Structure formats: structure tokens, C-alpha cells
Amino acid sequence: MLKKFNHVAIAVNDLEKAASIYKNALNAKVSNIKDYKEHGVSVVFVELENCKIELMKPLGNSSPISKFLEKNKDGGIHHICIEVSDIIKTRDTLLTKGFKILGDGNPKIGAHNKPVLFLHPKEFNGTLIELEQE
Ligand code: CO
């Protein structure tokens, strides 16, 4: 059911600065900034050999990250993403076992053009979990 680790997402206040640190101080492969209006975020991908770090800043007024940055003034780890072999089957199994799926419960297309779902941090040890179709 769970497959590869895909990425860790870090909320940041200044995306250009954060990207520059990874690029210039750590010599990492860093993408250009991409806007995802549906998710309310602007994102830079830091490409590692085995996974990615996504640096995200709020986009628009109702961004889900704005509240997070109010509580975490310096930014911080926002969620982790794990790939699953069958996202609908995984969702249905979780619902059957009484877990919550955030939003309307239907997968949205995520930053990698694949369906994603988010699980409630209260039910996963205080960690927001993104599941992505592998
Ligand atoms: Co993500």
C-alpha cells in the first residue's frame, strides 16, 4: 500500500531566499518558482537523488499555509508525502477504519500532476500526511 517517500514540504516566508540558500550554499538542483492556485501555494522543488524537498509559500488570501506561518514564524516542516499504489483503495480502506480525509475526500491533482489526498494530523501523530498516486 505505501510505496516510496516522495517529498517533505517546508513552509517558508521568503521563497526566493529559501531557494537561493539551497542552490548557492548547498549547491542543490533547484527548480524555478511554480504557482499552484488550486492549492494556494507557490513552490520550488529541491531535487535530491531519492526524493524532493518542496519549499512553499502562500499564494492568495485563503492559502492553507498562511495559518501555519502565523504559528511558525520562521517557517517549518508542513507535511510529508508518501506514494501509494492505489490512492482510491487506500482512501476507502482508511474511511472504513474511521479515519478522516481532508477536503471533500476526493483526490486533487497535486504538484506532480498526480492525484493526492491529505490525512488529518490529529490522527497521524501531529504530522500532515499527503498521499500521492505512484
Ligand atoms: Co506536497
Side-chain angles (χ1 to χ4, degrees), residues 7 9 54 56 79 81 112 118 130:
H7 64 269
E54 293 185 8
M56 317 181 293
H79 66 266
C81 175
H112 313 113
F118 286 90
E130 178 180 19

Side-chain angles (χ1 to χ4, degrees), residues 17-119:
K17 186 179 168 191
S20 160
I21 289 170
Y22 276 90
K23 191 175 180 178
N24 298 315
L26 293 170
N27 207 21
K29 193 176 161 195
V30 172
S31 77
N32 293 324
I33 295 173
K34 289 183 188 166
D35 291 342
Y36 295 92
K37 284 195 182 129
E38 198 194 346
H39 295 274
V41 291
S42 296
V43 177
V44 164
F45 301 97
V46 180
E47 301 274 350
L48 307 180
E49 277 186 21
N50 60 340
C51 66
K52 291 175 277 291
I53 300 171
E54 293 185 8
L55 306 170
M56 317 181 293
K57 79 167 185 189
L59 176 68
N61 297 326
S62 56
S63 173
I65 302 182
S66 300
K67 258 191 197 162
F68 182 89
L69 282 171
E70 275 169 33
K71 285 185 204 155
N72 303 273
K73 302 246 180 262
D74 296 326
I77 294 177
H78 181 265
H79 66 266
I80 64 168
C81 175
I82 305 167
E83 295 175 13
V84 292
S85 49
D86 185 334
I87 197 162
I88 297 299
K89 199 171 158 191
T90 303
R91 176 198 64 185
D92 292 346
T93 301
L94 287 166
L95 288 173
T96 303
K97 292 180 186 294
F99 290 95
K100 288 190 199 91
I101 306 293
L102 296 185
D104 66 5
N106 292 311
K108 277 188 187 176
I109 297 302
H112 313 113
N113 276 325
K114 291 180 175 174
V116 299
L117 286 172
F118 286 90
L119 310 181

